[in-house]
Amino acid sequence: MIITDTRPVARTLLRSKPIPNTRQDRIMGALLGAAIGDVMGNAITGLNQEEIREKFGEWGISSPPYESLVSHNFQLTLFALDALINCTQKSQRLSVKEIAECLIKCLKEWETVVNHPNLFHGINHLADRNSVCTDFMKNYPLWRFKRPGIKTSKTNISDQINPMLIALLLCANLKTVQEVSLELNKAFGTTEIGLDIDLFTSLFSNTESLTKENKVKGLSVMCEKINQSKRPDLMGMIAGFEHGAKYGIKAFKQIWYLRIDAMILNEQMGWRVARNIKSF
């Protein structure tokens, strides 16, 4: 009898670190921060303030729980990054409409993986040549494990648009992100704007050096936003992204990276974004 190994992939510290205060550092920090915020937000999703204090203490959740799994929201962010990189390699200059079409195709492929996590495993030769996501992303071993926040047909459409816009923020300027957001809302037949794009103004051009004081203050603000939000799952990604984009990978306690199952994939995607995409 053959027994398959169903244990999660081992977690290690970052294998290679970018130079501090560089664009690469802030991209990596934003992506890793979004993952940290995602698992923190999902840990308290569905809990009221009293239940949060009872479970995590007076100040609420203040760090990622051990053995954390990134949610389907963050999984979609990684799929969107993979699709954007793949599309730019096929065509160096993408219009707003082409970016939106790329993300819509990505959403459909992501939904297939979520609903049928074993469908793509070991069948690379059957992959769709018109696919926007790579076989590497679809076949990634972690996706065979159940994720928090499973999507249903009743899911608010903004819950699907927002994770993709977070990915796009790593690749495009704010004007492009706003235009793509409107294009996606138009395609899905909704008037929802999605993310407040102005929140991310000049994040990657921040020149403030990381100190112990602003690191502690930034983490405190991030945790407060997550604990006080009515949508901690989404706010976690936004707050973590914002803090990481300002200060890079050292904005978070290094031990936190060991608690997240997709940390190695995050690192790989961060390097891919910086190497393959300058800006749309």
Side-chain angles (χ1 to χ4, degrees):
M1 180 176 66
I2 299 177
I3 301 176
T4 58
D5 187 356
T6 58
R7 294 173 296 177
V9 176
R11 303 168 193 183
T12 60
L13 287 172
L14 296 177
R15 294 171 294 176
S16 55
K17 297 181 180 180
I19 299 173
N21 298 323
T22 60
R23 175 176 175 270
Q24 173 67 69
D25 184 38
R26 299 188 192 284
I27 288 175
M28 295 276 286
L31 189 56
L32 293 169
I36 289 172
D38 173 70
V39 298
M40 290 175 64
N42 275 279
I44 63 172
T45 296
L47 303 180
N48 58 38
Q49 291 298 313
E50 183 178 345
E51 291 170 330
I52 292 174
R53 286 192 292 270
E54 182 179 345
K55 186 173 182 179
F56 296 101
E58 181 181 356
W59 303 106
I61 191 167
S62 58
S63 64
Y66 288 94
E67 301 297 321
S68 295
L69 302 180
V70 295
S71 72
H72 283 303
N73 279 339
F74 189 74
Q75 182 189 19
L76 177 54
T77 296
L78 293 176
F79 267 69
L81 275 177
D82 184 62
L84 290 168
I85 294 171
N86 200 25
C87 288
T88 54
Q89 290 176 338
K90 295 177 181 178
S91 175
Q92 290 297 318
R93 296 184 64 85
L94 296 176
S95 66
V96 169
K97 186 174 182 179
E98 288 173 331
I99 296 172
E101 290 174 350
C102 172
L103 293 176
I104 291 171
K105 289 181 181 179
C106 165
L107 179 61
K108 294 178 180 178
E109 293 174 19
W110 165 78
E111 287 178 338
T112 302
V113 173
V114 170
N115 295 325
H116 308 283
N118 293 313
L119 178 63
F120 296 94
H121 186 66
I123 57 170
N124 292 354
H125 61 288
L126 297 179
D128 183 0
R129 293 184 180 275
N130 295 320
S131 173
V132 294
C133 296
T134 62
D135 292 338
F136 168 78
M137 183 60 69
K138 293 178 181 178
N139 287 323
Y140 202 72
L142 289 180
W143 305 150
R144 286 183 285 166
F145 295 90
K146 187 177 181 181
R147 309 265 124 204
I150 293 178
K151 301 297 178 183
T152 67
S153 58
K154 297 181 180 179
T155 298
N156 192 317
I157 194 63
S158 65
D159 290 348
Q160 297 179 334
I161 293 178
N162 288 333
M164 294 191 292
L165 292 181
I166 288 175
L168 187 58
L169 281 164
L170 292 172
C171 310
N173 57 48
L174 295 180
K175 180 181 178 182
T176 300
V177 177
Q178 289 173 327
E179 292 175 349
V180 171
S181 175
L182 294 174
E183 193 72 27
L184 289 173
N185 285 318
K186 180 180 177 181
F188 288 114
T190 177
T191 57
E192 298 175 25
I193 301 301
L195 287 178
D196 182 0
I197 307 299
D198 293 335
L199 286 173
F200 303 95
T201 303
S202 302
L203 280 183
F204 293 102
S205 60
N206 173 55
T207 57
E208 183 180 357
S209 298
L210 179 65
T211 64
K212 184 177 180 180
E213 290 74 18
N214 54 30
K215 177 178 180 177
V216 172
K217 182 180 178 180
L219 289 176
S220 177
V221 171
M222 183 187 84
C223 293
E224 183 179 356
K225 287 181 178 180
I226 296 172
N227 284 299
Q228 298 298 324
S229 176
K230 295 180 180 179
R231 285 295 312 277
D233 51 345
L234 177 60
M235 178 51 68
M237 290 182 65
I238 295 173
F241 182 102
E242 186 178 6
H243 184 57
K246 287 180 69 175
Y247 300 115
I249 63 173
K250 291 186 178 180
F252 304 95
K253 298 178 181 179
Q254 299 297 294
I255 194 66
W256 287 6
Y257 296 139
L258 292 174
R259 302 181 183 181
I260 302 173
D261 67 333
M263 195 274 292
I264 294 176
L265 179 58
N266 286 350
E267 182 184 2
Q268 292 174 324
M269 294 306 297
W271 284 110
R272 285 185 65 198
V273 170
R275 289 170 179 168
N276 292 284
I277 297 180
K278 293 183 178 180
S279 183
F280 290 124

